[in-house]
Amino acid sequence: MKCPYCGYVESKVIDSRPTDEWERIRRRRECLQCGRRFTTYEVIETTPLVVIKKDRSRETFDGGKLLAGMVRACEKRPVSLSVLEKAAEEIELQLRSSLDREIPSERIGELAMEKLREIDEVAYVRFASVYRQFKDIDSFMQELQNLLEERRKRAQ
């Protein structure tokens, strides 16, 4: 495994354990050259999911891109990376457990918004504003009013 710090290709495994849902093996490694530690995940290779993008092009699903978008929405918010990793893993598991091997990008975006709505409302609004590409302030305000209405219903 290549060290992300110095690029050396030899490392030793310090700790190995399955993740919560037993889908991956988490390994703590130590670089044999610089001595720094890093984490890797070993996953079972499965049939790839293909994402159908808005322009109808296709690309292989990348959970890292999903997580990166969620992290970006949560910048400067009190949301831990582990919470976002868990949410991204749940979304990926939900997509893989469906019988579809080709998933519209809109479906992934909707699932991400659902998770972010539960985690942090500000992050949800940030993600929705980019994902839905609000055309004007009125459509943005409508989304905020929907969010406030849901909060009122939950409080009752």
Side-chain angles (χ1 to χ4, degrees), residues 106-122:
E106 293 84 9
R107 176 77 179 127
I108 298 168
E110 293 296 326
L111 291 171
M113 285 192 298
E114 286 174 25
K115 290 289 182 190
L116 285 171
R117 183 181 288 152
E118 296 167 11
I119 294 168
D120 185 274
E121 290 177 340
V122 172

Side-chain angles (χ1 to χ4, degrees), residues 61-79:
F61 174 78
D62 180 359
K65 285 175 73 172
L66 171 61
L67 179 60
M70 294 173 76
V71 166
R72 229 178 354 267
C74 291
E75 281 182 2
K76 298 183 182 179
R77 299 294 305 154
V79 179

Side-chain angles (χ1 to χ4, degrees), residues 35-88:
R36 293 184 72 179
R37 294 182 177 189
F38 56 99
T39 302
T40 61
Y41 290 89
E42 186 177 300
V43 293
I44 297 171
E45 196 168 42
T46 58
T47 306
L49 287 175
V50 176
V51 177
I52 303 170
K53 299 173 76 171
K54 289 179 184 176
D55 67 359
R56 293 293 179 218
S57 65
R58 287 167 163 69
E59 69 179 44
T60 304
F61 174 78
D62 180 359
K65 285 175 73 172
L66 171 61
L67 179 60
M70 294 173 76
V71 166
R72 229 178 354 267
C74 291
E75 281 182 2
K76 298 183 182 179
R77 299 294 305 154
V79 179
S80 72
L81 182 58
S82 61
V83 167
L84 294 176
E85 287 173 334
K86 185 175 187 288

Side-chain angles (χ1 to χ4, degrees), residues 2-142:
K2 187 177 178 182
C3 175
Y5 304 108
C6 71
Y8 192 65
V9 294
E10 296 290 325
S11 64
K12 67 179 178 180
V13 175
I14 298 169
D15 181 44
S16 246
R17 68 180 103 167
T19 57
D20 292 337
E21 59 285 327
W22 294 83
E23 295 288 327
R24 301 175 187 201
I25 301 291
R26 179 184 183 272
R27 299 195 192 282
R28 284 295 291 162
R29 297 176 177 269
E30 184 176 304
C31 176
L32 294 178
Q33 183 168 321
C34 70
R36 293 184 72 179
R37 294 182 177 189
F38 56 99
T39 302
T40 61
Y41 290 89
E42 186 177 300
V43 293
I44 297 171
E45 196 168 42
T46 58
T47 306
L49 287 175
V50 176
V51 177
I52 303 170
K53 299 173 76 171
K54 289 179 184 176
D55 67 359
R56 293 293 179 218
S57 65
R58 287 167 163 69
E59 69 179 44
T60 304
F61 174 78
D62 180 359
K65 285 175 73 172
L66 171 61
L67 179 60
M70 294 173 76
V71 166
R72 229 178 354 267
C74 291
E75 281 182 2
K76 298 183 182 179
R77 299 294 305 154
V79 179
S80 72
L81 182 58
S82 61
V83 167
L84 294 176
E85 287 173 334
K86 185 175 187 288
E89 286 175 5
E90 288 172 0
I91 291 169
E92 184 172 351
L93 186 61
Q94 188 173 351
L95 293 171
R96 289 196 184 280
S97 64
S98 76
L99 299 177
D100 299 326
R101 292 297 117 209
E102 292 190 341
I103 314 287
S105 61
E106 293 84 9
R107 176 77 179 127
I108 298 168
E110 293 296 326
L111 291 171
M113 285 192 298
E114 286 174 25
K115 290 289 182 190
L116 285 171
R117 183 181 288 152
E118 296 167 11
I119 294 168
D120 185 274
E121 290 177 340
V122 172
Y124 161 74
V125 170
R126 286 178 180 171
F127 190 92
S129 69
V130 172
Y131 177 74
R132 292 206 174 130
Q133 298 174 333
F134 294 124
K135 303 290 184 238
D136 54 30
I137 194 70
D138 292 330
S139 57
F140 188 75
M141 288 302 294
Q142 183 60 47

